[in-house]
Every structure is written in C-alpha cells, then in structure tokens.
Amino acid sequence: MGLEREIEKAAAILRAGGLVAFPTETVYGLGADAANPQAVRKIFIAKGRPQDHPVIVHLPDSSHLEHWAEEISPAARALAKRFWPGPLTLILRRAKRVSDAVSGGQDTVGLRVPAHPVAQALLKAFASGIAAPSANRFGRVSPTLAEHVRGELGAQVDMVLDGGPCPVGIESTIVDMSSAHPALLRPGKITAVEIEAVLGTALYRFGPESPRVPGALTSHYAPRTPLLLAQDLAKCVKSLCAQNKRVAVLAHHSRPVDSLDVIWQAAPAQAADYARELYARLRELDKTGCDVIVVEEPPSGEEWAAVRDRLSKAAINKV
Ligand code: TXA
Ligand code: MG
C-alpha cells in the first residue's frame, strides 16, 4: 500500500474509534480520536495505564489551539510559534469540550504539533486532535521503531504506521503554561535554556524527587532488567562481576581488553545521537538475558539534561 492510501486508512480507523500507532519525531504514539472518550479509553486498556493519567493531544497546526485550550497567554503562543511543529508539549487550560478521558480529570490539557512527515500527513487527513501517549506498555521504554510497537502492543492496535526510526528518540519537552509561573515538567531535545530565551523569564524546574504530573513517576521508562547508573564504570562492573552477575554495559567508550566477560555497547558521544539510540539500545540490552544493565553516567551540561532525566528515572539507584 502506498503511504497516501495507508494514511487514508489510518484516518478512517481513527474516525471509527479505533487505535492507530504512528511515528512522531520523538517516539511512536498510540493514537485515538481525542474527541471520542470511548476511543481514548481503549488507549489506556491497550497500555495497561491508570485512567487518571492525562494524554497529549496532537494537532495538525496551531490554528487548532483554541479548539482545545482556553486562556492561552501571549507567552504560550510565542512558544508555539517558535517551536511548532516540533518536540514541545504545552500544558494549557483545557477547553470545556476536552473530555476527562484526555485530561485525566485535570483542568488542563497537553497539546503538541509534531513535525514528523507521517504524523503531519495523518493529522492533516484526520483534520482534528489525536490523543496519543507513547506506544509502549505502561512504565516501559518508549518505542522508536515500528517493530517495537508491533512486538509490545501488536494485537491491541488496529494499525501501525511505519515511519522508520524516530529522529529525536526521546519524548517531547513538556512546559506547563497553564498558570502565571511557567514550569518545565519534562526535559527534552528543546532545552530549558532555549525556552527561557523565548519567554524572557526563568522556568520553574521540578527536581527528579518531585514528580508533579501523573506519569512523571520516577519508575518510568525502565527496561525489565535492573538498570544501574555508574559514576565509576570500571569499579561498578568489577564489583558486579565479582558477585557473579551477568552484566551488560552501555558505555561512552569502546570495550577495554579486560572486560571480555561482559556484554558491551559503546554509546554515541554526541547528546542528540545518544538520545536517538537510547531506547533501542536499552531494549537490546534488556533482551540479552543479563542480570543487570550498567549505564555509564552521561556528561553534565544542558544538552544532556533530557538523557540524564530518562536514565535517572530508569535506574534503580539514584546518583
Ligand atoms: O514526545 C511525546 O511527548 C510523545 C509523542 C507520542 O508525542 N508522547 C508522550 O506521551 O510521551 P506520554 O503519555 O507517554 O507522556 C506524556 C506526559 C505524561 O507524563 C503525562 O502525565 C503528561 O505528559 N501530561 C499530559 N497531559 C498533561 C496535563 N494536562 N498536565 C500535566 N501533565 C500532562
Ligand atoms: Mg510514555
């Protein structure tokens, strides 16, 4: 089937209240008609996700903003203008028509205009909001390939649109613009500093120990195998091997000669490349049957903030 026909079929499934998984530039989403609460509820069942977690509504473009949100501040509009289409989600006061199924019963709604050409084509064809969380089982690593979705949710989804690997690889930056105090709820490729440059004010930043939104639980984004973040990689691996643990490593450098008994992956040196590959690598390491995944702590610095956030949420230890 050509892409155009596939998009038409996907839009028809959404109109009929079905579920369509689709690629965005960040991760694959599990989509349903945002205006159909019954369809949205199917998402929660497929994911095994608690009903009180709000989902992001994806829009074809910013002209749809007023349909879903109210009291949109000039600052929020400035962010939409600068970063949409792109990997930014804005939390705004919800319009009355937004159902509790979408908002999780909160008086706000998360909105985003994705840039991925397949997501754009689907949204243009559907011509309304598509509610979509990441297309993974609740609490698991987000999918960055269509085969991740098929493997994890296959039977529960009516259609999976394949757009190849997601170019960003980690979920969108979330900024709460629903009050007078803009806050960063989830770091992402678009950094807090870039957002602050548009706002002209500082963002309130929640630490990892203060989850603000349902879904920002610290146990999120985790592989099945326990994941340890290591400041001193060599020391950590050595002590685990001494306990006869089978170890899989995601490091910043290639394998040292004295570590032949551990599974070793060298991660990309640039933050953007690291982020793009992170979830696929965690899924691979998860499949090796090791006892523990050890990830070398990423560098400090603003461009690594989102990667550090996801890894610290996936880790069983907090460094
Ligand atoms: O990149 C992304 O954002 C991907 C793609 C598919 O767009 N979506 C995604 O959705 O990561 P999800 O549901 O896995 O994560 C969305 C996060 C959750 O932590 C949820 O609690 C939060 O956004 N969220 C959604 N609506 C919200 C609201 N009204 N207020 C506060 N947080 C909200
Ligand atoms: Mg998710």
Side-chain angles (χ1 to χ4, degrees), residues 27 47 49 133-136 139-140 142 171 186 215 220-221:
V27 300
K47 280 183 63 97
R49 193 191 213 210
S134 52
N136 51 280
R140 296 295 168 194
S142 293
E171 305 82 355
R186 183 172 71 184
H220 238 59
Y221 316 100

Side-chain angles (χ1 to χ4, degrees), residues 108-181:
T108 55
V109 63
L111 301 175
R112 132 168 154 83
V113 177
H116 195 288
V118 175
Q120 274 287 324
L122 179 62
L123 285 158
K124 293 257 141 68
F126 186 62
S128 183
I130 300 178
S134 52
N136 51 280
R137 300 273 312 161
F138 177 65
R140 296 295 168 194
V141 173
S142 293
T144 53
L145 287 173
E147 68 193 59
H148 295 161
V149 183
R150 290 192 202 105
E152 203 162 297
L153 297 174
Q156 285 130 295
V157 183
D158 297 300
M159 185 176 185
V160 180
L161 285 169
D162 191 342
C166 300
V168 174
I170 54 172
E171 305 82 355
S172 60
T173 307
I174 303 182
V175 179
D176 186 351
M177 296 299 293
S178 68
S179 78
H181 309 286

Side-chain angles (χ1 to χ4, degrees), residues 181-199:
H181 309 286
L184 179 71
L185 301 189
R186 183 172 71 184
K189 170 150 197 272
I190 297 171
T191 65
V193 170
E194 288 177 274
I195 289 160
E196 286 167 340
V198 173
L199 293 177

Side-chain angles (χ1 to χ4, degrees), residues 17-19 30-32 36-53 55 101 131 133-139 152-158:
L19 297 183
L30 180 59
N36 178 345
Q38 265 155 306
V40 174
R41 273 185 212 108
K42 287 188 194 166
I43 298 176
F44 290 81
I45 295 163
K47 280 183 63 97
R49 193 191 213 210
Q51 298 276 350
D52 64 340
H53 284 214
V55 287
S134 52
N136 51 280
R137 300 273 312 161
F138 177 65
E152 203 162 297
L153 297 174
Q156 285 130 295
V157 183
D158 297 300

Side-chain angles (χ1 to χ4, degrees), residues 69-74 76-77 92-96 177-179:
E70 273 175 8
E71 299 170 44
I72 307 161
S73 67
R77 285 183 199 281
L92 299 166
R93 303 201 68 83
R94 72 158 154 174
K96 308 269 178 306
M177 296 299 293
S178 68
S179 78

